[in-house]
Amino acid sequence: MPVEFDIERAWTLHPQVSVRPEPFGALLYHFGTRRLSFLKDPELLSVVRELDAQPSARRACEVVAGDRLPAFTAALSTLARTRMIVERHAVSTETAGDAPRVPSAAPDREDRRLP
């Protein structure tokens, strides 16, 4: 079932996604699907990090750089389609059977775990 991204809803990183900041932006790795995504823009990484703190993806984009809303919307839509981000309310029910993520040995990797 395809995921439809709605910028007015609250989103978060999937619990099995690890973020590794890089000079160009970041690498996202999904331990469940083994998919790797490149965020080629440091501001997009800021938007992804801001998702948990804001009531909607639109607000996260506006906090970082509201004038780039169309580009951020397209990027977040792709991240939703590839299950790198999920709707915040869906995290507890959708991922209940997911295995815990393997902790990273890399010192610059941000360990991202949700309750």
Side-chain angles (χ1 to χ4, degrees), residues 5-7 11 39-51 57-80 85:
F5 178 71
D6 182 350
I7 197 163
W11 293 82
L39 301 185
K40 299 176 187 173
D41 181 344
E43 284 188 328
L44 179 56
L45 174 58
S46 295
V47 170
V48 169
R49 287 181 167 162
E50 193 66 33
L51 288 173
R58 175 184 299 277
R59 185 67 190 126
C61 294
E62 290 169 348
V63 165
V64 174
D67 58 327
R68 300 197 49 213
L69 186 62
F72 290 152
T73 300
L76 291 173
S77 180
T78 299
L79 292 174
I85 63 171

